[in-house]
Amino acid sequence: SLMEQLTFFHDHTVMILSMITIMVTYIMMTLTKNKYINRYLLEGQTIELIWTVMPAITLIFIALPSLRLLYMIDEINNPSITLKVIGHQWYWSYEYSDFSNTEFDSYMKPVNEMNKNEIRLLDVDNRTVIPMNTQARVVVTAADVLHSWAVPALGIKIDAVPGRLNQGTMNI
């Protein structure tokens, strides 16, 4: 649901930017072809008020959905499962600490061991499994250098920083 909301926000913002671009292009084309000058357009308090207030209203139309989306992404409900992800130099370690301390490492598959339907640089030997329709908390850290743990289809991307725990939630 978060990725769906991110897509809606992207479409909303692109629509606003498209309207602004089309309007500015039309005005510029009209000004280059029009030889007449309206003196009320050049020195008027009304037009200055309009071109000051309209960008502010446009920014509000972009900012309010953005703030709502930021709070939705940062909201952590009562998670049913916690997944701890530790980034290492060439692999990821996963820990399910809620259930019998299950830990495993996940390495990228070498090219010579891959099947035809597997994607190079994305398929791993041990995949992590998270149940559907449950609120899951992901706690991410790094052991050595900066990493970035992401699942684009779920709209989640968390930076892994050594010595710091970052968390996010997802609902599949």
Side-chain angles (χ1 to χ4, degrees), residues 44-150:
Q45 297 295 319
T46 312
I47 193 68
E48 288 182 13
L49 180 71
I50 289 172
W51 73 49
T52 304
V53 170
M54 288 303 288
I57 292 172
T58 305
L59 288 176
I60 289 172
F61 275 119
I62 293 174
L64 290 179
S66 172
L67 288 174
R68 184 181 69 81
L69 190 58
L70 281 173
Y71 281 112
M72 279 178 54
I73 289 173
D74 205 31
E75 181 180 4
I76 296 178
N77 296 329
N78 191 11
S80 302
I81 187 170
T82 301
L83 174 68
K84 184 177 180 185
V85 181
I86 304 169
H88 297 280
Q89 189 95 25
W90 293 104
Y91 64 97
W92 292 93
S93 295
Y94 295 96
E95 298 177 9
Y96 292 100
S97 56
D98 294 339
F99 308 105
S100 69
N101 288 332
T102 304
E103 300 177 10
F104 63 92
D105 295 332
S106 180
Y107 292 91
M108 282 190 301
K109 279 190 174 180
V111 177
N112 58 353
E113 295 178 11
M114 295 178 68
N115 297 328
K116 286 185 177 182
N117 60 347
E118 294 177 334
I119 301 172
R120 183 177 158 265
L121 298 177
L122 289 179
D123 276 309
V124 293
D125 57 354
N126 293 321
R127 296 181 181 187
T128 184
V129 178
I130 297 177
M132 289 182 64
N133 295 327
T134 57
Q135 192 75 21
R137 174 176 46 203
V138 182
V139 179
V140 180
T141 188
D144 45 14
V145 295
L146 296 175
H147 298 280
S148 185
W149 188 84

Side-chain angles (χ1 to χ4, degrees), residues 18-71:
S18 299
M19 289 189 308
I20 290 171
T21 304
I22 290 170
M23 186 177 73
V24 168
T25 304
Y26 173 74
I27 290 172
M28 288 177 62
M29 295 301 285
T30 305
L31 286 175
T32 58
K33 293 179 181 179
N34 190 359
K35 303 292 184 208
Y36 302 113
I37 297 174
N38 186 350
R39 75 179 178 97
Y40 294 112
L41 203 62
L42 293 178
E43 41 183 76
Q45 297 295 319
T46 312
I47 193 68
E48 288 182 13
L49 180 71
I50 289 172
W51 73 49
T52 304
V53 170
M54 288 303 288
I57 292 172
T58 305
L59 288 176
I60 289 172
F61 275 119
I62 293 174
L64 290 179
S66 172
L67 288 174
R68 184 181 69 81
L69 190 58
L70 281 173
Y71 281 112

